[in-house]
Amino acid sequence: MKLPDNFPLRLLIPVCVLLGIFLFFLLIAGSNRITFSTESFSESTEILSNPYQGFYHMIGYTLSDDYNPTDGASYQTDSYTDSLALVEINLKNYRTTAISETGLTQLDDILTSWSQSPANTRLILRFLYDWDGLALVTEPESLELILTHMDQIRTLVNRHCDSIYIMQGIFVGNWGEMHHSHFMDDTSVKTLIQHLHDVIDPSIYLSVRTPAQWRMIHDRYDLPAKFPAFETDDSLMGRLGLFNDGMLGSESDLGTYGDTERRNASSPSYKGTRKEELAFQNKLCQYVPNGGEVIYNNNLSDLETSVSALQTMHVSYLNADYDGRVMEKWRNTTWTGNDAFNGCDGYSYMQAHLGYRYLIRSCKIKKIGFIKPDFTLTLTLQNNGFANTLKPFQTTILLKNTETGTGTIVPFDVHLQKLGSGQKKSYTVQLPVQELERGSYQIYFSVKDETNGQMILLGNTNKAADAGYLIGQLEK
């Protein structure tokens, strides 16, 4: 380049310096030419086969000294396809004695078979002495023998704790439902549930039949300001949930609630009004499981009324076989809510919303800085289910090179246990873009059950790949 004849030589050096700086930054900008694109996200109406939630079927076994190991075969596990099963173990043959070695062998075979379920089914486990509403006749006559039975089953239950989600009840009552028993006084209930807590692996949730029983056990009217949730301190409170086999059957859920207003209660063990007990469950069951059976009632079984109640109670599991009249009513009703499910039948809506239903709402990637910029990914998630997960899930980002197939895993602490029903939150993580080789990358988000690595499906129309859900592309 030739300078004009009259160009002041004193400006030559500054001009060269500025030109050098310009070229330097141009070079840096070229080296940092990194582009992103993100996927679009919308909600599907797919029924997601995820662990710890959904409709279940009930399967019962009676322990007996007549058991032959060849009798059980697969114990119905080979053909079972749902993510949950209620397995009931009837101990009526041992109402006057300890469980025999044969009986314990049968129990071990049952639990072993279910732990190898092809569908990876988790168990809701209930020990009982009665299937005919005759617990007063079939239960042991002494509390000590029931405690002995708890001691006997502890090793086998704990051995299979990875496949057992919840233990319902305290062994007593008609159908194991904690009513019509000699052992439903406050002292006996506290003794039995405390003993279960002491002997059963803390990863297994326990549950009692009514909110009033929960309050009586803990001797308090309300939850503590800081609830000991998600197995943080192995406390009884942090693992004790509810099961309700009278949902929607009447204003009291067939005796689950009462008519005593809180202001008139003389102790925590009172049964409050329906409104108050629903409000109590709305708080409690953000941290512990709730589920059971629905019972037909002409008014309460209406779809919108049912959805409101089950969402308030944070219900995550329901008996698929009972009450058939309720299921049929839901199937014949169309959901008209302002969401993706508008026009679907009510049964499908219920099935899709029991428990958690996480989905991606948006994904954004932001560049911060110039010479050595940082790149952050912000993922917005929503939970449209009735409840949240109570088990820890592992969430990660994967940057996968499209040419070599190699991947870089980025830990992403989302804590889905704290993303409650109806909530939407944004989570941010820094991407190690500067450390990547030149090339094209696909960005995946995945959620897995920490217990066994099972992938958790999301409620988006986007389909899951082996690496998770594609959320964006990166070019470097």
Side-chain angles (χ1 to χ4, degrees):
M1 180 180 70
K2 183 179 179 181
L3 296 174
D5 292 339
N6 60 347
F7 185 84
L9 293 179
R10 67 179 182 276
L11 297 180
L12 181 59
I13 294 177
V15 169
C16 290
V17 171
L18 290 174
L19 182 60
I21 293 174
F22 173 76
L23 292 174
F24 172 76
F25 278 104
L26 190 63
L27 180 64
I28 292 295
S31 66
N32 283 328
R33 190 178 294 121
I34 298 170
T35 61
F36 294 97
S37 62
T38 57
E39 299 293 299
S40 59
F41 303 97
S42 58
E43 185 175 6
S44 76
T45 57
E46 183 180 357
I47 308 300
L48 306 177
S49 182
N50 280 327
Y52 313 113
Q53 63 181 33
F55 282 111
Y56 67 84
H57 298 277
M58 186 171 66
I59 301 169
Y61 307 92
T62 300
L63 300 192
S64 168
D65 286 356
D66 295 329
Y67 169 70
N68 186 318
T70 62
D71 295 341
S74 69
Y75 296 97
Q76 305 179 45
T77 59
D78 288 348
S79 59
Y80 197 88
T81 58
D82 292 313
S83 61
L84 284 175
L86 173 57
V87 169
E88 294 190 338
I89 308 295
N90 196 320
L91 304 176
K92 66 179 182 180
N93 289 325
Y94 303 99
R95 65 176 300 269
T96 61
T97 184
I99 304 170
S100 67
E101 287 300 318
T102 300
L104 291 174
T105 297
Q106 182 183 1
L107 175 60
D108 190 25
D109 288 349
I110 292 168
L111 296 180
T112 298
S113 181
W114 279 102
S115 71
Q116 299 167 353
S117 160
N120 203 17
T121 300
R122 270 70 166 196
L123 300 186
I124 304 164
L125 187 61
R126 187 190 297 185
F127 288 90
L128 41 71
Y129 299 94
D130 168 72
W131 278 330
D132 302 305
L134 300 172
L136 293 174
V137 176
T138 57
E139 286 178 355
E141 295 182 359
S142 73
L143 185 71
E144 288 70 24
L145 184 54
I146 300 173
L147 296 173
T148 296
H149 290 165
M150 289 181 176
D151 287 333
Q152 288 187 281
I153 59 94
R154 66 183 293 180
T155 300
L156 300 180
V157 169
N158 293 342
R159 181 184 301 165
H160 300 287
C161 62
D162 284 350
S163 60
I164 300 172
Y165 181 37
I166 303 167
M167 285 186 65
Q168 286 185 344
I170 51 176
F171 289 39
V172 302
N174 288 353
W175 305 285
E177 292 183 10
M178 299 180 64
H179 57 79
H180 294 87
S181 167
H182 293 301
F183 306 104
M184 284 309 300
D185 60 281
D186 291 1
T187 300
S188 296
V189 170
K190 286 184 177 181
T191 299
L192 290 169
I193 194 64
Q194 183 61 51
H195 197 66
L196 270 183
H197 173 61
D198 292 339
V199 302
I200 297 300
D201 190 282
S203 67
I204 300 173
Y205 282 96
L206 307 178
S207 55
V208 292
R209 179 62 182 79
T210 71
Q213 291 166 348
W214 191 98
R215 290 191 296 269
M216 180 274 294
I217 289 166
H218 298 295
D219 194 24
R220 60 183 306 137
Y221 288 94
D222 296 307
L223 274 59
K226 184 173 177 57
F227 193 88
F230 314 132
E231 306 162 18
T232 54
D233 66 351
D234 294 339
S235 69
L236 175 58
M237 181 180 291
R239 71 189 297 202
L240 187 61
L242 302 172
F243 70 102
N244 182 352
D245 287 350
M247 289 184 207
L248 310 177
S250 67
E251 277 294 315
S252 69
D253 277 6
L254 302 185
T256 304
Y257 319 134
D259 55 10
T260 303
E261 293 186 1
R262 165 68 179 271
R263 61 186 178 184
N264 298 324
S266 58
S267 75
S269 62
Y270 77 100
K271 290 183 178 181
T273 64
R274 179 179 184 83
K275 180 179 179 180
E276 289 175 328
E277 296 290 38
L278 289 178
F280 179 81
Q281 292 171 82
N282 189 31
K283 294 179 181 178
L284 172 66
C285 297
Q286 297 176 62
Y287 309 110
V288 292
N290 195 4
E293 296 178 352
V294 290
I295 309 298
Y296 181 79
N297 178 282
N298 190 49
N299 295 320
L300 295 177
S301 298
D302 287 345
L303 181 59
E304 288 190 12
T305 304
S306 300
V307 168
S308 177
L310 269 59
Q311 185 172 33
T312 299
M313 298 162 66
H314 302 303
V315 170
S316 57
Y317 62 94
L318 283 178
N319 189 336
D321 303 313
Y322 200 86
D323 186 333
R325 293 171 297 172
V326 181
M327 306 301 169
E328 190 64 22
K329 188 170 187 177
W330 290 346
R331 286 189 177 94
N332 293 327
T333 306
T334 301
W335 176 252
T336 58
N338 185 26
D339 57 21
F341 287 83
N342 185 291
C344 291
D345 69 276
Y347 182 88
S348 296
Y349 182 88
M350 285 292 189
Q351 190 174 14
H353 290 80
L354 290 174
Y356 55 88
R357 184 180 179 84
Y358 299 116
L359 61 145
I360 303 169
R361 280 305 187 192
S362 66
C363 176
K364 297 179 181 178
I365 299 175
K366 185 177 181 181
K367 174 183 174 182
I368 304 173
F370 184 69
I371 295 178
K372 277 194 170 183
D374 292 325
F375 296 87
T376 60
L377 181 147
T378 299
L379 201 63
T380 299
L381 304 177
Q382 187 168 345
N383 180 7
N384 283 351
F386 293 158
N388 51 297
T389 177
L390 303 176
K391 291 290 188 177
F393 289 162
Q394 181 185 56
T395 49
T396 57
I397 296 292
L398 174 68
L399 303 171
K400 183 179 180 181
N401 189 300
T402 57
E403 295 180 5
T404 66
T406 58
T408 299
I409 296 176
V410 182
F412 191 19
D413 295 328
V414 170
H415 299 298
L416 288 172
Q417 291 166 310
K418 298 180 181 179
L419 185 58
S421 174
Q423 292 183 344
K424 181 166 65 174
K425 293 183 181 180
S426 295
Y427 305 89
T428 299
V429 64
Q430 185 169 321
L431 301 179
V433 175
Q434 301 294 352
E435 302 170 15
L436 298 176
E437 300 291 335
R438 290 284 177 185
S440 299
Y441 293 84
Q442 293 177 319
I443 308 173
Y444 290 93
F445 172 66
S446 72
V447 184
K448 295 183 178 180
D449 183 359
E450 285 191 4
T451 302
N452 61 5
Q454 179 181 345
M455 180 179 289
I456 304 302
L457 302 177
L458 303 182
N460 290 100
T461 53
N462 316 59
K463 297 301 181 182
D466 291 341
Y469 287 84
L470 181 65
I471 59 176
Q473 305 267 356
L474 180 156
E475 297 284 343
K476 182 178 179 182

